[in-house]
């Protein structure tokens, strides 16, 4: 494959140690596997006149972003589209310059995974002035006159359905001795992030439906930070030692949740008298492994393969002048202990679960 990188772009951070390095290798396997699945054995020929698309990601900090980047690359390759790539390492100004470079090179379309809703607007306007279609991945823009298409995930519905499954389990399992209800802890993301808000609201909607069985006693503001999540969950468990129902807004934070539950003597498998009903969101390798090991009850899953198809479909549709909805959502799926055998393989983390193992 003959992908092209912008000068000075860094492909991904290297601060996560051996586990992340292993995850990275696993995600390369995802990319290779995705390319194999998507292209089959067609042996597609590259043409000199093929389309060129610029892909600008704000970060590759977590497995989700790495998987999305690699799977999107495979999807573009499957359609014989050349890809220019740029990673901004969390710097919105740098991402703006990268997008301007795409515009200067007169690409046929631009895909942006932005840092936030506001800093992306100048990028969209730059593309608009040049008549280049833009698709935003995973994060919508703030209201403005700039024109773009957003492909995202239905955070609210997936989280609501995930937590409703947890509620069903709460009705089947007695609360800790002396309690009428299961006491719940919610790990929230950065509430400046559209995705974190949708997941928080989906959680609260579900527990409202089972308020006779579940009571929220602790909300942990993690700001998508592992250390803050660990400290918050630890404090929550100390303040409310009967907590028996925990949901984290991202699989990325599961290691912090796991550490806190272990320290509190609550890290037990499904079926144990001391098992904490545990749910999460994303579909990464850690979640898949914890589901298989029997520690995680349920995971709300983003279908990254489907999202990548939606992104490219939207970009090509806009370029061809077809009507494309301004927001296109992946409905995702909910994977739990009862359907793990059938739906588990659809988790994007399933392909890398062998290299990211949970400790027991």
């Amino acid at each position: 494959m003959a992908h092209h990188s912008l000068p000075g772009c860094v492909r991904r951070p290297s601060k996560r140690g051996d586990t992340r390095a292993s995850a990275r290798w696993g995600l390369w396997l995802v990319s290779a596997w995705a390319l194999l699945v998507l292209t089959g054995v067609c042996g597609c020929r590259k043409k000199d006149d093929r389309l060129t698309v610029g892909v600008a990601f704000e970060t590759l900090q977590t497995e989700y972003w790495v998987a999305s980047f690699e799977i999107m690359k495979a999807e573009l390759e499957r359609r014989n589209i050349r890809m220019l790539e740029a990673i901004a390492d969390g710097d919105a100004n740098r991402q703006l310059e990268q997008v301007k470079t795409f515009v200067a090179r007169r690409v046929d379309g631009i895909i942006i995974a932005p840092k936030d809703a506001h800093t992306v607007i100048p990028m969209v306007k730059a593309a608009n002035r040049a008549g280049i279609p833009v698709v935003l991945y995973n994060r919508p823009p703030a209201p403005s006159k700039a024109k773009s298409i957003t492909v995202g995930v239905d955070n609210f519905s997936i989280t609501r359905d995930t937590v409703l499954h947890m509620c069903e389990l709460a009705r089947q399992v007695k609360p800790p001795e002396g309690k009428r209800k299961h006491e719940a802890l919610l790990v929230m993301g950065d509430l400046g992030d559209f995705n974190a808000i949708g997941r928080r609201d989906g959680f609260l909607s579900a527990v409202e439906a089972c308020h006779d069985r579940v009571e929220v006693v602790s909300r942990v503001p993690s700001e998508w930070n592992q250390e803050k999540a660990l400290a918050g969950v630890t404090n929550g468990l100390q303040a409310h030692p009967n907590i028996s129902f925990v949901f984290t807004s991202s699989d990325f934070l599961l290691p912090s949740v796991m550490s806190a539950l272990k320290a509190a003597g609550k890290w037990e498998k499904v079926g144990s008298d001391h098992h904490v009903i545990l749910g999460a969101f994303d579909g990464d390798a850690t979640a898949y492994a914890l589901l298989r090991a029997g520690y995680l009850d349920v995971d709300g899953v983003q279908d990254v393969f489907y999202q990548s198809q939606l992104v490219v479909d939207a970009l090509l549709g806009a370029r061809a002048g077809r009507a494309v909805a301004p927001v296109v959502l992946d409905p995702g799926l909910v994977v739990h202990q009862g359907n793990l055998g059938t739906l588990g393989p659809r988790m994007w983390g399933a392909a890398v679960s062998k290299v990211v193992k949970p400790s027991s």
Side-chain angles (χ1 to χ4, degrees):
M1 293 181 287
H3 299 311
H4 302 263
S5 300
L6 292 178
C9 292
V10 177
R11 289 291 312 279
R12 64 157 303 169
S14 57
K15 298 179 180 179
R16 294 187 176 272
D18 294 341
T19 299
R20 286 297 174 197
S22 296
R24 173 65 173 170
W25 172 245
L27 289 162
W28 276 76
L29 295 179
V30 172
S31 177
W33 176 78
L35 181 58
L36 180 64
V37 169
L38 293 171
T39 59
V41 292
C42 68
C44 299
R45 291 184 304 163
K46 297 179 176 63
K47 298 178 181 178
D48 291 337
D49 61 348
R50 57 186 171 154
L51 299 178
T52 299
V53 169
V55 178
F57 268 47
E58 174 261 340
T59 182
L60 292 182
Q61 185 181 24
T62 68
E63 290 176 19
Y64 171 76
W65 292 114
V66 177
S68 297
F69 186 83
E70 298 293 347
I71 293 169
M72 203 169 293
K73 179 189 292 186
E75 179 65 22
L76 290 168
E77 178 69 16
R78 182 182 76 86
R79 305 196 196 200
N80 198 26
I81 297 172
R82 178 166 36 205
M83 171 175 160
L84 304 181
E85 59 186 59
I87 310 301
D89 279 346
D91 186 336
N93 290 327
R94 185 181 188 185
Q95 190 171 41
L96 175 59
E97 293 306 312
Q98 291 168 340
V99 170
K100 287 181 175 177
T101 302
F102 288 155
V103 171
R105 295 181 67 166
R106 304 185 66 82
V107 297
D108 298 292
I110 298 175
I111 298 167
I112 304 173
K115 181 177 179 63
D116 56 56
H118 296 280
T119 58
V120 74
I121 292 175
M123 305 176 204
V124 176
K125 287 182 175 178
N128 287 168
R129 287 192 293 270
I132 299 173
V134 183
V135 176
L136 306 187
Y137 179 65
N138 198 266
R139 288 173 178 150
S144 78
K145 293 182 179 180
K147 295 181 179 179
S148 63
I149 301 163
T150 299
V151 172
V153 62
D154 191 342
N155 291 288
F156 179 90
S157 296
I158 297 173
T159 304
R160 180 198 59 201
D161 293 348
T162 300
V163 179
L164 285 175
H165 181 80
M166 295 174 68
C167 288
E168 290 179 14
L169 298 177
R171 294 189 184 286
Q172 298 167 15
V173 179
K174 291 182 178 179
E177 189 173 352
K179 295 292 179 178
R180 291 190 308 110
K181 299 180 181 181
H182 287 276
E183 294 185 351
L185 180 148
L186 165 64
V187 184
M188 300 181 291
D190 182 347
L191 294 182
D193 180 352
F194 171 88
N195 294 318
I197 294 172
R199 294 171 200 179
R200 178 202 62 185
D201 292 348
F203 173 89
L204 295 176
S205 174
V207 295
E208 175 62 25
C210 64
H211 67 276
D212 58 319
R213 195 63 172 176
V214 177
E215 178 184 10
V216 181
V217 297
S218 182
R219 302 188 191 190
V220 175
S222 77
E223 299 178 11
W224 299 137
N225 179 283
Q226 289 271 17
E227 288 73 24
K228 290 183 179 179
L230 175 58
V233 177
T234 299
N235 292 338
L237 291 171
Q238 289 175 350
H240 304 280
N242 289 310
I243 283 174
S244 55
F245 189 107
V246 173
F247 177 81
T248 172
S249 298
S250 173
D251 294 348
F252 164 66
L253 300 174
L254 274 171
S256 296
V257 173
M258 183 167 59
S259 295
L261 289 174
K262 281 183 177 179
K266 291 175 174 285
W267 185 246
E268 299 286 345
K269 290 187 177 182
V270 173
S272 165
D273 290 341
H274 301 292
H275 172 67
V276 170
I277 298 170
L278 182 59
F281 187 105
D282 266 335
D284 78 4
T286 299
Y288 179 68
L290 289 176
L291 278 166
R292 294 197 60 181
Y295 289 96
L296 181 64
D297 290 279
V298 56
D299 198 45
V301 176
Q302 303 193 59
D303 190 340
V304 179
F305 293 96
Y306 182 54
Q307 290 176 16
S308 296
Q309 292 174 23
L310 292 176
V311 166
V312 181
D313 285 345
L315 193 69
L316 295 180
R319 186 175 183 278
R322 295 192 291 271
V324 180
V327 178
V328 183
L329 294 180
D330 159 30
L333 61 153
V334 176
V335 180
H336 52 72
Q337 293 293 329
N339 63 19
L340 180 60
T342 53
L343 294 185
R346 287 181 57 187
M347 296 174 67
W348 54 269
V352 294
S353 63
K354 292 182 180 180
V355 293
V356 183
K357 296 178 181 296
S359 56
S360 58

